[in-house]
Amino acid sequence: MTGRHVLALSGGVGGAKLAAGLAAILSPGELTIVVNNGDDFEHLGLTICPDIDSVTYALADLNDTERGWGVKDETWQAMVMLRDLGEADWFNLGDRDMAMHIARSWRLRAGETLSQVTSRLTRSLGIAHAIVPMSDAPLRTQVGTADGWLDFQRYFVAEQCRPVATGVRFAGAPGTPPSPAFMAALAREDLGAIVVCPSNPYLSVDPILAVDGVREALAARRVPLVAVSPLVGGTSLKGPLAKLLGELGKPVGNASIAGHYGALLDHLAIDIADAADAASLQRSGLNVIVTPTVMRNTRDREQLAQTVLAAAGLNGGWIRV
Amino acid sequence: MTGRHVLALSGGVGGAKLAAGLAAILSPGELTIVVNNGDDFEHLGLTICPDIDSVTYALADLNDTERGWGVKDETWQAMVMLRDLGEADWFNLGDRDMAMHIARSWRLRAGETLSQVTSRLTRSLGIAHAIVPMSDAPLRTQVGTADGWLDFQRYFVAEQCRPVATGVRFAGAPGTPPSPAFMAALAREDLGAIVVCPSNPYLSVDPILAVDGVREALAARRVPLVAVSPLVGGTSLKGPLAKLLGELGKPVGNASIAGHYGALLDHLAIDIADAADAASLQRSGLNVIVTPTVMRNTRDREQLAQTVLAAAGLNGGWIRV
């Protein structure tokens, strides 16, 4: 017997949109959102979890949709003052966003786990669905460059993805256990589908797969795994995926996404702009859904969430919010 | 031989104004401002030093003169978000002020002393004069109440000084050494005067005097000690001094201020509104200066600084900024 519970794996902004779409049509008991925290880092004494924050802000309807990241109606007074005080300014910290980092950091220092802090803070913001870090232990995504291995935020923000990537690695893996709620979701009797949100496979999803036992658990799954491709019109909508694919010697296209996930993948949702990719992907044995994947608003997010769940065989009865 | 160097002892807002006046007319080499840090506390994982910040903001011309504390042009976005996140909101943290606490906290955690951090941050804000914590070790001012001993900020901010005070104590004293720069200033060959700024004697100056060896060094001084009374018109201009004097069974008046400092005091500057106090104070052997002590603007601050230095015998040649 398979059930209706959905396990979603998400990175930051793109993934967060689909996660919010899923949260809009599934009840809190029907969804566990596991978020990449390989991007987490310590900065000015604060523990910053960019992907957890992106998912949190999206579900709390606090995300800035114009800027594409961070909190809406954000101000930058603390950042200006930090600069005046001679502190590092390569990572932008908004005033409202800063409150999240302060709250998280002091509670982590007080002994709470990242899972506990995340649960506490998301609930405080009125989020009923479970947002779960992939692990409570640090696993750190690093990008290989001519200058050596760079921590993710150094590569992504400080260097703005300019260095040519020679590889991606996850410091701490193996040896990083899944968070309790991630482990519990993987083992649920009523699991009905696993959804890989449209996040960068190398930088945002692979860290989740690098957590101890996750790849094995997904390989042994008894429920469909549906991924949404982060490529649109043959390139990345945002972020360094297209550049990274090229540097890693892979064609920039959905065949590379499908090839990367390999046997873990049952269904791949690709954008209507890439409909031409469908035939060859299907010949390789994959179920392909051609559907609009660009999520500009709430309706787009919910529509894509419905399509993805339908592909997984979880049809109908979704509560529209 | 006595010289021209001035050692100023300051608490928060009122003291900070005179400290800024002294900084405006003395060169950086002529002034050491030692600031009470008995009010410091840990809040949301941040080390907050209210008096050091008040002096810093006053000298950097960043102080909010209307609100009377904190940074001018302040915003409160992080505070609103912290409240939404379920965090304690009894201590108001402005966005610009927050940057100060973040910068200080992470550098303290990285191993810098409070003296080093304070020097670094004040210099970054363009302050050339030395702002020095009384100690790099924690000495914590506590106020006795019917409910026991309250940490200063709990009494001052959370309880808004409402509890009847039964006493004041300094946790950590004796056993708290002066900061290196405080010790050096006390021992300077060219020390010319010691100025006690118009701060609360019990809550803001006594903690400085409670630092190991300070009371003894001041008692053995070879230079004049001038205090500016924090009372104006027979009451406290701001803060709990008048209420506290009453609760401690002292008359609310300059006789209590003079009596409190006792033999440490050579000159007491009192406000023109309290001119009637002068005769009896002088009869007790004190030199009394009757002068405007309310500092509403830069000119007032510098004028009072000039008057105080003149009383100490350091006449003329001040650079007007």
Side-chain angles (χ1 to χ4, degrees):
Chain A
M1 184 208 88
T2 57
R4 290 175 58 87
H5 196 85
V6 175
L7 168 60
L9 310 182
S10 178
V13 179
K17 289 182 184 179
L18 183 56
L22 289 166
I25 65 170
L26 293 171
S27 73
E30 292 175 326
L31 177 65
T32 301
I33 304 166
V34 170
V35 184
N36 168 42
N37 55 299
D39 301 3
D40 296 4
F41 71 123
E42 298 287 319
H43 186 57
L44 303 176
L46 303 170
T47 301
I48 299 178
C49 304
D51 286 359
I52 290 176
D53 289 343
S54 291
V55 173
T56 299
Y57 297 148
L59 264 71
D61 195 24
L62 287 172
N63 55 319
D64 187 297
T65 51
E66 280 195 32
R67 197 190 319 116
W69 56 272
V71 184
K72 66 185 175 186
D73 303 324
E74 187 59 289
T75 55
W76 309 91
Q77 293 282 91
M79 194 74 233
V80 171
M81 185 77 168
L82 280 167
R83 202 173 291 135
D84 289 347
L85 289 169
E87 298 297 339
D89 63 356
W90 61 270
F91 193 88
N92 261 323
L93 292 163
D95 297 321
R96 301 181 75 190
D97 191 39
M98 188 81 87
M100 179 66 90
H101 310 317
I102 289 169
R104 175 190 295 123
S105 302
W106 94 262
R107 291 198 175 271
L108 287 172
R109 266 194 210 99
E112 290 189 15
T113 65
L114 184 57
S115 291
Q116 288 167 333
V117 175
T118 303
S119 171
R120 171 197 291 277
L121 297 176
T122 53
R123 276 164 209 281
S124 291
L125 292 176
I127 298 171
H129 295 77
I131 299 177
V132 172
M134 64 189 196
S135 179
D136 288 333
L139 174 157
R140 294 292 172 258
T141 303
Q142 297 177 322
V143 178
T145 72
D147 292 330
W149 291 96
L150 298 183
D151 283 338
F152 181 79
Q153 297 300 336
R154 185 56 66 176
Y155 164 79
F156 188 67
V157 178
E159 301 290 339
Q160 299 192 287
C161 310
R162 280 182 301 251
V164 172
T166 56
V168 180
R169 73 177 185 188
F170 308 104
T176 303
S179 62
F182 188 11
M183 207 179 308
L186 285 167
R188 282 183 80 117
E189 281 294 319
D190 65 344
L191 193 65
I194 300 162
V195 175
V196 176
C197 294
S199 295
N200 189 311
Y202 299 90
L203 298 175
S204 300
V205 182
D206 273 2
I208 305 178
L209 304 183
V211 169
D212 286 356
V214 170
R215 197 175 278 279
E216 294 75 6
L218 295 183
R221 72 194 177 279
R222 293 170 302 166
V223 301
L225 190 148
V226 190
V228 176
S229 172
L231 294 175
V232 173
T235 189
S236 41
L237 201 56
K238 195 173 179 300
L241 176 57
K243 176 172 181 286
L244 188 67
L245 280 168
E247 290 165 2
L248 297 178
K250 316 268 183 192
V252 183
N254 281 314
S256 292
I257 307 298
H260 183 72
Y261 290 129
L264 291 183
L265 201 57
D266 302 305
H267 307 266
L268 181 65
I270 65 172
D271 192 70
I272 45 172
D274 302 308
D277 297 349
S280 64
L281 289 169
Q282 266 161 335
R283 272 195 299 277
S284 74
L286 197 62
N287 300 306
V288 178
I289 311 115
V290 180
T291 188
T293 65
V294 182
M295 293 169 278
R296 292 192 184 82
N297 53 42
T298 309
R299 199 185 140 70
D300 291 347
R301 301 190 313 202
E302 293 177 26
Q303 190 64 56
L304 183 57
Q306 300 242 18
T307 302
V308 162
L309 295 183
L314 297 178
N315 276 304
W318 311 118
I319 304 148
R320 295 297 301 247
V321 177
Chain B
M1 183 208 89
T2 56
R4 290 176 59 86
H5 196 85
V6 175
L7 168 59
L9 311 183
S10 179
V13 179
K17 290 182 183 179
L18 183 58
L22 290 165
I25 64 170
L26 294 170
S27 72
E30 291 175 326
L31 177 64
T32 300
I33 304 166
V34 170
V35 185
N36 168 44
N37 54 299
D39 301 2
D40 296 4
F41 72 123
E42 299 287 320
H43 185 57
L44 302 176
L46 303 169
T47 302
I48 300 179
C49 304
D51 286 358
I52 291 176
D53 289 343
S54 290
V55 173
T56 299
Y57 297 148
L59 263 71
D61 196 23
L62 287 172
N63 55 317
D64 187 298
T65 51
E66 279 193 35
R67 195 188 320 115
W69 56 273
V71 184
K72 67 185 175 186
D73 303 324
E74 187 59 286
T75 55
W76 309 90
Q77 293 281 92
M79 194 75 235
V80 171
M81 185 77 168
L82 280 167
R83 203 171 292 135
D84 290 347
L85 289 168
E87 298 297 340
D89 62 357
W90 61 269
F91 193 89
N92 261 323
L93 292 162
D95 298 320
R96 301 181 74 190
D97 191 40
M98 188 81 87
M100 179 65 90
H101 310 317
I102 289 170
R104 175 191 296 122
S105 302
W106 94 263
R107 291 198 176 272
L108 286 173
R109 266 195 210 97
E112 290 187 16
T113 64
L114 184 58
S115 291
Q116 289 166 334
V117 175
T118 304
S119 172
R120 171 197 290 276
L121 296 177
T122 54
R123 275 164 210 279
S124 292
L125 292 176
I127 299 170
H129 295 77
I131 298 177
V132 172
M134 65 190 196
S135 179
D136 288 333
L139 175 156
R140 295 291 173 258
T141 303
Q142 297 176 323
V143 178
T145 73
D147 293 330
W149 291 95
L150 298 183
D151 283 339
F152 180 78
Q153 296 302 334
R154 184 58 64 176
Y155 165 78
F156 188 66
V157 179
E159 301 290 338
Q160 299 191 284
C161 310
R162 278 182 301 250
V164 173
T166 56
V168 180
R169 73 176 186 188
F170 308 105
T176 302
S179 62
F182 187 11
M183 208 179 309
L186 285 167
R188 283 183 80 118
E189 280 294 318
D190 65 344
L191 193 64
I194 300 163
V195 176
V196 176
C197 295
S199 296
N200 189 312
Y202 298 89
L203 298 176
S204 301
V205 181
D206 272 3
I208 305 178
L209 304 183
V211 170
D212 286 356
V214 170
R215 198 175 277 278
E216 294 75 5
L218 294 183
R221 72 195 177 279
R222 293 170 303 167
V223 301
L225 190 147
V226 190
V228 177
S229 172
L231 294 175
V232 173
T235 189
S236 41
L237 201 55
K238 195 176 178 299
L241 176 56
K243 176 172 180 287
L244 189 67
L245 280 168
E247 290 165 0
L248 297 178
K250 316 268 183 190
V252 184
N254 280 314
S256 292
I257 307 297
H260 183 72
Y261 290 129
L264 292 184
L265 200 58
D266 301 305
H267 306 266
L268 181 65
I270 65 172
D271 192 71
I272 45 171
D274 302 308
D277 297 349
S280 64
L281 289 169
Q282 268 163 334
R283 271 197 299 277
S284 73
L286 197 62
N287 300 307
V288 178
I289 311 116
V290 180
T291 188
T293 65
V294 182
M295 294 169 278
R296 291 191 183 82
N297 52 43
T298 309
R299 195 184 145 69
D300 291 347
R301 300 190 314 202
E302 293 177 25
Q303 192 63 56
L304 183 57
Q306 300 241 18
T307 302
V308 163
L309 295 183
L314 297 178
N315 276 302
W318 311 118
I319 303 147
R320 295 299 298 248
V321 177

